[in-house]
Amino acid sequence: MTPSPPDRLTRTALDHRIETAVGRSVEELRHHRDDGLLDASHAALADAHRDLVAAERDVTFYRVRLARLASSDLPVDQALFARIDRTLDQLAQAARVRGAKQTTAAAALESIEADVPRQVPRQIPSQDVAALLAIAQGAKLHEHLVTHRLAVATPTRTRISYAQLQRLEANGLVERDISHPMQAGQPVTLTDAGRSALTAPRRAGPPQCRARISASDRSRRFPSPPLNGAVHATRTALRRNRTKAAMPSYEPDFRLDGYEAVNNNVAEQFWGSIGIEQDDMTVLAEHHSANGEHSFFVMHNRAVTWGTPGEPQIAALHLKRDPATHTFRFASEMLPLPSMAQSWLVARGCPEEEILLPEGMGTAPANDATRALEKRLRSDGDHFALLTSYTQDSEPIETTVLLRALDVKAALPFRVLLEEVDSHAWTHTLREGGFQTFEAAAQWWEAHWSGDKPPLPAASPAARHTTVATTVVPARPTLPRGPSR
């Protein structure tokens, strides 16, 4: 079973109030309690908060379990209904316990808050108000694993620069949970001062100030409908002409100036799978044919971290243009490993040597075996089908992939790929294992994600791999998506 996360990683609804009242983080408060440095009232608060953290952790555990039961591919039968009912009862009981612990902690906090002078909220710029409103709905600061770009992701897609985040932090309006690695995302939340700033009466600004919000600014705050050719050309030109920061930008330029989708259906599909998250895409590698008819992209989509845990984060995109009619078509696929995305593109006509990741882009292969396996993955696109995968982008960073041979006579028809990232050495290893049955692969998968870490059984050196996303496989039980407790 996966060990429970440390208490310091679990946040509660009272953390901001406690930290504002005592003038230190809840972690420091706990350390001082353990060292016997607190008076009676602060010690009682620390003890109550410790109990609340444990209750909050239990609620999170049963909530995640319920989500996995509801969203997985488990067979829909009476056994599943029984597990869901049992988990609902456990979640309800955990929520009742948490409510009681929160009431106790709030009572211990009120006597301390009574001695803390309340500050009058001050006026802040309108752009900071917009940022605080977005952060109030949930936000994370991410460092891209490949490009090291820092970006704040919000559900409303409001753009918050790292410089603006630093200013909000310096003013005491927001704070980050630095106990999380930046690659997985550090949660950004409002402080009491930030919440007070949002609820404080605001003076109406002069008309000319309100008129300074440009159309491009509005488009970044609110999702746009599918773009026609003229609008897309204008948007792309504006993006290219923006002032660049010191760090290189790897945002994709799809070179669709003057082009429109061949029909409305293609336009809607392109917007739904690529365009709506274009600002969250980072180009890892790209190739454009000499005649301009084809473009191939390998991209990382950091917006995936807001979706279902474990989903593939690497996007492969093939654009096909018709210069005669100024229209385009496309094909895309989300895949768990860059080498699998490269294989998908090579199978569609992209030269392998043209879609390799540049040196310094991402982690480096740790050994020759990893390089050889990645090369085999890139060069074969029609021998295995992708069944499932799970990407864990927090420490330890790793990805597991299950493949099924399309050749019914294959000696080891099921293959597991395991990529592990060393974030200190900035390298990664990729290994494979072969299994004769789905059940054997599922047993290894369960053991691996439960913390046992069994070795991968050797696969045939002559085995070939693919990244074809096909579902033409026999009906069998589905593997768990990822870590389970």
Side-chain angles (χ1 to χ4, degrees):
M1 296 178 65
T2 303
S4 300
D7 284 354
R8 65 184 181 86
L9 299 183
T10 303
R11 305 291 291 180
T12 75
L14 295 180
D15 284 5
H16 293 306
R17 286 179 57 190
I18 293 174
E19 291 172 344
T20 301
V22 303
R24 60 177 66 93
S25 69
V26 291
E27 288 84 2
E28 291 175 315
L29 180 68
R30 176 166 300 184
H31 292 322
H32 289 173
R33 174 67 177 100
D34 294 338
D35 294 338
L37 301 178
L38 301 179
D39 57 26
S41 61
H42 286 77
L45 175 60
D47 292 339
H49 179 264
R50 188 189 300 270
D51 293 340
L52 176 58
V53 166
E56 187 72 52
R57 189 172 63 247
D58 289 341
V59 170
T60 300
F61 168 63
Y62 291 116
R63 183 173 59 191
V64 171
R65 173 184 284 181
L66 181 62
R68 287 175 178 161
L69 289 173
S71 64
S72 69
D73 296 326
L74 294 173
V76 180
D77 51 21
Q78 292 302 319
L80 177 62
F81 296 148
R83 293 178 64 185
I84 291 176
D85 289 340
R86 184 167 59 253
T87 303
L88 278 171
D89 292 340
Q90 293 168 329
L91 176 60
Q93 175 60 23
R96 286 192 291 269
V97 172
R98 181 189 61 180
K101 299 298 183 182
Q102 185 166 312
T103 300
T104 302
L109 177 60
E110 287 176 357
S111 62
I112 297 176
E113 286 181 324
D115 298 329
V116 179
R118 299 185 64 85
Q119 298 180 354
V120 178
R122 57 185 179 82
Q123 293 289 325
I124 60 175
S126 298
Q127 62 267 29
D128 287 348
V129 173
L132 292 177
L133 287 171
I135 291 173
Q137 301 179 54
K140 283 186 178 181
L141 175 67
H142 289 270
E143 178 184 11
H144 191 268
L145 186 64
V146 175
T147 65
H148 305 289
R149 293 172 59 190
L150 297 177
V152 178
T154 66
T156 61
R157 301 180 64 83
T158 299
R159 303 297 293 273
I160 303 173
S161 68
Y162 182 56
Q164 186 178 13
L165 175 65
Q166 288 179 307
R167 184 175 69 251
L168 295 174
E169 284 185 303
N171 291 333
L173 302 175
V174 301
E175 62 181 0
R176 281 182 285 152
D177 183 359
I178 60 175
S179 63
H180 293 259
M182 248 189 219
Q183 291 86 356
Q186 292 183 344
V188 181
T189 53
L190 299 181
T191 63
D192 279 350
R195 284 188 288 271
S196 297
L198 286 180
T199 58
R202 296 191 55 79
R203 297 184 297 269
Q208 60 270 26
C209 291
R210 295 196 295 270
R212 288 175 186 168
I213 301 178
S214 65
S216 59
D217 290 331
R218 289 194 298 271
S219 69
R220 290 196 294 269
R221 295 180 184 179
F222 304 100
S224 304
L227 306 180
N228 59 34
V231 175
H232 183 89
T234 303
R235 182 80 55 81
T236 305
L238 289 172
R239 184 180 295 112
R240 279 205 300 265
N241 292 331
R242 284 198 304 233
T243 303
K244 301 295 182 181
M247 181 177 291
S249 173
Y250 297 100
E251 291 185 10
D253 178 2
F254 296 135
R255 303 190 181 188
L256 293 176
D257 297 25
Y259 282 83
E260 295 186 2
V262 68
N263 55 49
N264 290 335
N265 185 41
V266 171
E268 292 175 359
Q269 291 178 353
F270 186 77
W271 171 251
S273 58
I274 300 295
I276 194 172
E277 295 178 343
Q278 178 175 341
D279 289 342
D280 290 311
M281 300 279 191
T282 299
V283 175
L284 306 182
E286 61 183 303
H287 171 65
H288 308 276
S289 62
N291 60 10
E293 293 185 4
H294 298 271
S295 288
F296 304 89
F297 294 87
V298 177
M299 300 175 291
H300 178 267
N301 184 357
R302 63 176 176 266
V304 175
T305 59
W306 287 97
T308 304
E311 289 296 294
Q313 300 181 6
I314 306 300
L317 171 65
H318 175 204
L319 285 171
K320 185 176 181 180
R321 306 176 188 84
D322 185 347
T325 60
H326 293 282
T327 58
F328 74 91
R329 298 177 181 271
F330 81 102
S332 66
E333 193 69 50
M334 293 300 298
L335 296 160
L337 298 174
S339 53
M340 298 175 72
Q342 292 163 336
S343 174
W344 190 88
L345 294 173
V346 169
R348 282 155 180 76
C350 181
E352 178 184 349
E353 64 278 4
E354 299 295 341
I355 202 64
L356 301 179
L357 271 60
E359 184 176 355
M361 180 69 76
T363 55
N367 48 49
D368 290 338
T370 295
R371 295 185 185 90
L373 180 52
E374 288 179 335
K375 181 172 178 60
R376 286 162 53 196
L377 285 167
R378 289 194 299 267
S379 60
D380 277 336
D382 54 0
H383 289 75
F384 279 75
L386 172 62
L387 293 185
T388 190
S389 69
Y390 191 91
T391 298
Q392 178 171 283
D393 51 13
S394 59
E395 294 287 351
I397 303 170
E398 60 183 43
T399 298
T400 51
V401 181
L402 177 62
L403 304 174
R404 164 73 188 269
L406 299 181
D407 183 359
V408 296
K409 298 181 180 180
L412 297 174
F414 295 95
R415 299 299 173 94
V416 169
L417 302 176
L418 171 61
E419 183 188 73
E420 298 172 299
V421 174
D422 185 338
S423 57
H424 299 288
W426 210 244
T427 60
H428 66 271
T429 59
L430 182 63
R431 294 179 287 135
E432 66 172 338
F435 300 87
Q436 290 185 343
T437 65
F438 183 93
E439 289 72 17
Q443 185 178 8
W444 180 94
W445 190 288
E446 289 273 11
H448 176 81
W449 285 114
S450 66
D452 293 342
K453 305 300 181 185
L456 278 171
S460 169
R464 304 173 74 194
H465 300 267
T466 188
T467 58
V468 175
T470 178
T471 57
V472 185
V473 294
R476 293 178 179 268
T478 303
L479 285 174
R481 294 288 298 143
S484 61
R485 183 170 174 177

